[in-house]
Amino acid sequence: MSHTAHIRSHRKPRRSASSLAMRAGVAGGVLSSLAVAGASGSANASEPVTQTLELPTLTADLAAQAAKSADATQQAAANYQLQAERDAAAANAAKQAKADLAEAKQKAAEAKKKADEAARQEAAARASRNAERTTLSATSDSGSTSTATGSAASVISFVKAQIGKSYVMGASGPSAYDCSGLVQAAFKEIGVSLPRVSQDQSTSGTQVSLSNLQPGDILYWGSAGSAYHVAVYVGDGMFVGAQNPSTGIVEKPLSYDPPTGAVRVL
């Protein structure tokens, strides 16, 4: 025996067979587990790795983006269509406004033409009336008309006797007359039958010019056949007539209210 064998710290512990077997078993189990794990890892490494949990998320994102893109495209198309419709409406409105303006200008030109023609006719009529008034005034001032005799004198005497009586529409005497009623009654005194209304009296007899009047001629205002007033010329540029309800039957110079024409019955 060694001289140190009795010292405990210098002695190697002995391993029992059971301990060695246990250790060998554990090591084998570990190695088996590693082998199995390695085999499993090798098998798994030979197959493609798939991210099965992330695929639904990616697919949903792509679908959402595609839907947004489709909506944006559709909205853009709708905006383009709306703008096109607005542009078309604006073009049509401008075209219609141009046509309306042209029509308005044409109507304005026609209205101006009519107004100018009416003004010209009015000026001509005014000049004609002024000329007639001048002629009638000269006739009244000169006293060149002849003195009434015979039947004309009887007509004139009758109408002058009615001066001061009332004017009543439709009346034919003896206390009141209208214009044609007075003329009819005056000629009835000498046995001459005249129509009742002024329109017909203005065409009863021969038309004479106002510059060639004789006492007893019938004066009328308005057109022959559509006269609205009549009276009797009594000479010296004067006439007697039932003028209106305000004045009644009066004697006035021709220049007071120049007549349009005259007819001669006697």
Side-chain angles (χ1 to χ4, degrees), residues 138-146 236:
T139 301
S140 177
D141 294 339
S142 64
S144 60
T145 54
S146 60
D236 297 329

Side-chain angles (χ1 to χ4, degrees), residues 158-172:
F158 179 85
V159 295
K160 284 189 174 183
Q162 313 309 312
I163 294 174
K165 291 184 178 181
S166 300
Y167 174 99
V168 177
M169 179 67 71
S172 56

Side-chain angles (χ1 to χ4, degrees), residues 171-260:
S172 56
S175 60
Y177 298 87
D178 63 9
C179 63
S180 57
L182 176 64
V183 173
Q184 184 187 49
F187 280 86
K188 186 177 181 180
E189 287 291 312
I190 61 172
V192 177
S193 178
L194 292 178
R196 175 64 181 82
V197 296
S198 58
Q199 292 88 342
D200 295 333
Q201 290 178 5
S202 65
T203 58
S204 298
T206 303
Q207 296 287 328
V208 296
S209 66
L210 297 176
S211 61
N212 191 33
L213 292 174
Q214 292 182 3
D217 288 344
I218 300 174
L219 305 175
Y220 63 84
W221 284 255
S223 302
S226 60
Y228 59 85
H229 183 63
V230 289
V232 176
Y233 179 66
V234 297
D236 297 329
M238 305 293 288
F239 70 88
V240 173
Q243 290 300 99
N244 53 61
S246 298
T247 62
I249 299 174
V250 294
E251 183 176 12
K252 294 288 185 179
L254 294 174
S255 59
Y256 168 78
D257 186 13
T260 304

Side-chain angles (χ1 to χ4, degrees):
M1 177 181 291
S2 173
H3 67 280
T4 60
H6 66 278
I7 300 173
R8 181 177 292 270
S9 59
H10 286 200
R11 296 174 64 184
K12 295 181 179 179
R14 293 181 179 179
R15 298 177 179 174
S16 62
S18 59
S19 175
L20 291 174
M22 182 178 295
R23 288 187 179 183
V26 170
V30 171
L31 292 175
S32 298
S33 297
L34 291 175
V36 171
S40 176
S42 299
N44 290 336
S46 64
E47 294 180 1
V49 178
T50 57
Q51 299 294 332
T52 56
L53 294 179
E54 294 183 2
L55 280 178
T57 303
L58 293 175
T59 302
D61 291 342
L62 290 175
Q65 292 178 2
K68 289 182 180 179
S69 178
D71 290 342
T73 302
Q74 184 177 2
Q75 184 61 44
N79 292 338
Y80 290 146
Q81 181 178 0
L82 179 60
Q83 186 61 42
E85 292 175 354
R86 289 177 176 174
D87 292 342
N92 291 334
K95 183 177 180 181
Q96 185 62 42
K98 185 177 181 181
D100 292 342
L101 179 60
E103 183 179 359
K105 288 182 177 179
Q106 182 179 0
K107 289 183 177 180
E110 293 176 354
K112 185 177 184 301
K113 184 177 180 181
K114 290 181 180 179
D116 292 344
E117 179 63 20
R120 186 189 66 79
Q121 292 180 357
E122 176 61 24
R126 187 181 300 109
S128 177
R129 289 194 297 269
N130 291 337
E132 290 177 356
R133 185 176 290 107
T134 301
T135 300
L136 294 174
S137 297
T139 301
S140 177
D141 294 339
S142 64
S144 60
T145 54
S146 60
T147 302
T149 59
S151 297
S154 298
V155 170
I156 293 170
S157 176
F158 179 85
V159 295
K160 284 189 174 183
Q162 313 309 312
I163 294 174
K165 291 184 178 181
S166 300
Y167 174 99
V168 177
M169 179 67 71
S172 56
S175 60
Y177 298 87
D178 63 9
C179 63
S180 57
L182 176 64
V183 173
Q184 184 187 49
F187 280 86
K188 186 177 181 180
E189 287 291 312
I190 61 172
V192 177
S193 178
L194 292 178
R196 175 64 181 82
V197 296
S198 58
Q199 292 88 342
D200 295 333
Q201 290 178 5
S202 65
T203 58
S204 298
T206 303
Q207 296 287 328
V208 296
S209 66
L210 297 176
S211 61
N212 191 33
L213 292 174
Q214 292 182 3
D217 288 344
I218 300 174
L219 305 175
Y220 63 84
W221 284 255
S223 302
S226 60
Y228 59 85
H229 183 63
V230 289
V232 176
Y233 179 66
V234 297
D236 297 329
M238 305 293 288
F239 70 88
V240 173
Q243 290 300 99
N244 53 61
S246 298
T247 62
I249 299 174
V250 294
E251 183 176 12
K252 294 288 185 179
L254 294 174
S255 59
Y256 168 78
D257 186 13
T260 304
V263 292
R264 184 166 297 157
V265 178
L266 301 177

